[in-house]
Amino acid sequence: MENSSVYIIVPVFNEGFTIRKVVVSLLEYGFSVIVVDDASTDNSYSSIKDLNIHYLLHEVNLGQGAAIQTGIEYALTKGDAKIFATFDGDGQHRVEDIMEMITPIEKNEADIVMGSRFLPGAFSNASFIRKTAIQTARIINFLFTGLWLTDAHNGLRVFNRKTASLLDLKENGMAHASEILFRVAKYKLRVKEMPVHILYTDYSRKKGQSIFNGIKIFFDLVFNRIFD
Amino acid sequence: MTAIQILLIAGLALSAIYVYLKFQSVIADAIILLLFIAAGIIFVLFPQLTTKIANKLGVGRGTDLILYVCIVFFLFVLIRMYARIRKLEQTVTKIVRDNSMNAVVKNEKEKARN
């Protein structure tokens, strides 16, 4: 199976510093790359516009969840798209990990493969506070979805067309990560976790999630369940 | 009449006029509005009435009853507004998303032509 039938969705908001490096390394593997620009105000676009990518632009900022959903909907219109992936544009993810995660999808052993920082073989230089926050998020995810995973809100995911067409994310903000799990549980999709490398740099740490974001995500999940 | 009564009645009357002018109401709306304002003015002029009604419902004071009714009413309004905002958010998202996809299609068509 050709790597070009693997469509990587990279949601971008002001990642001008890292996005070109990320996209170039993805293209080196022969993947098809979809960049969804969520109304960045920096040089994100100009730094990658010469590259052979699919580029979609949100004219106003909607949120990472919305950007991913746009990327997924666009990828679904591509007839040659067999495998889909979400990948962060800030350089935290390792491209080699995608190759490992494709295998269970290819062999039809799983519908969605999620990266985990906490499986044997994984690596992440996360701080203690962040690790604690993730453990809390795991528990909240379990309460909302019934899925007990080793990681929470890991942006590196690989999934098949069936999963892509079932996702239909309504959460525009960071709560989309939990919404994905919710759909996985609802449609009984086969989920598998695999160890990945996450590299926190000073740059990405600044853009990372704070405790406040976690609380906001929780309230988004609770209130939006009532109204959808 | 005490000062607060004058203030409240003036407030109610002004709100009624504002609502009527702003929302271009029909006669039916004006009548409903009038009834609400009349009820408000009556309760302001005769606060003992509220206490009588409150006692019948098992509440000690008239003002407490008004407070409870207001809380429930505001809760209802808040929930309704939140639902509308959420719906609006989804509409905006759809428009922005459609625009982004249309732009790509347009670009690809232009590239193919060149």
Side-chain angles (χ1 to χ4, degrees), chain B residues 15-35:
Chain B
S15 314
I17 295 173
Y18 179 75
V19 166
Y20 183 65
L21 289 176
K22 183 108 175 139
F23 292 100
Q24 307 282 327
S25 312
V26 270
I27 297 292
D29 289 346
I31 295 180
I32 295 172
L33 200 60
L34 217 70
L35 285 172

Side-chain angles (χ1 to χ4, degrees), chain A residues 54-60 62 65-66 69-70 73-74 78 170-172 223-224 227-228, chain B residues 79-80 82-83 86 89-90 92-101 104-105 107-108 111:
Chain A
H54 302 264
Y55 175 80
L56 285 95
L57 171 65
H58 282 168
E59 55 207 317
V60 288
L62 295 177
Q69 177 62 21
T70 298
E73 280 190 29
Y74 177 72
K78 296 292 167 194
K170 294 270 188 290
E171 287 292 337
N172 284 356
F223 283 123
N224 295 337
F227 292 106
D228 280 346
Chain B
I79 292 176
R80 199 154 168 271
Y82 185 81
R86 187 98 177 109
E89 194 184 66
Q90 289 181 357
V92 169
T93 301
K94 181 176 191 322
I95 295 176
V96 174
R97 179 165 295 147
D98 287 350
N99 281 357
S100 74
M101 304 241 246
V104 181
V105 172
N107 282 347
E108 285 174 353
K111 267 199 217 153

Side-chain angles (χ1 to χ4, degrees), chain A residues 138-189:
Chain A
R138 280 176 75 196
I139 298 175
I140 296 184
N141 278 336
F142 173 66
L143 293 173
F144 274 94
T145 67
L147 289 175
W148 186 236
L149 301 171
T150 62
D151 198 349
H153 290 207
N154 191 310
L156 185 44
R157 315 173 183 90
V158 181
F159 44 101
N160 57 16
R161 187 169 265 268
K162 171 179 171 193
T163 306
S165 53
L166 287 173
L167 276 183
D168 192 22
L169 300 177
K170 294 270 188 290
E171 287 292 337
N172 284 356
M174 297 309 282
H176 73 271
S178 298
E179 196 187 5
I180 290 179
L181 296 181
F182 184 65
R183 297 284 150 119
V184 166
K186 176 176 178 187
Y187 294 110
K188 300 201 181 10
L189 298 168

Side-chain angles (χ1 to χ4, degrees), chain A residues 94 97 100 116-124 194-198:
Chain A
R94 219 174 53 147
D97 288 333
E100 303 276 324
S116 170
R117 287 162 277 205
F118 302 107
L119 288 176
F123 168 81
S124 91
M194 291 183 73
V196 294
H197 276 45
I198 306 284

Side-chain angles (χ1 to χ4, degrees), chain B residues 23 36-37 50-51 62 64 67 69 89 95 104:
Chain B
F23 292 100
F36 267 106
I37 301 303
T50 61
T51 315
D64 286 350
L67 183 65
V69 170
E89 194 184 66
I95 295 176
V104 181

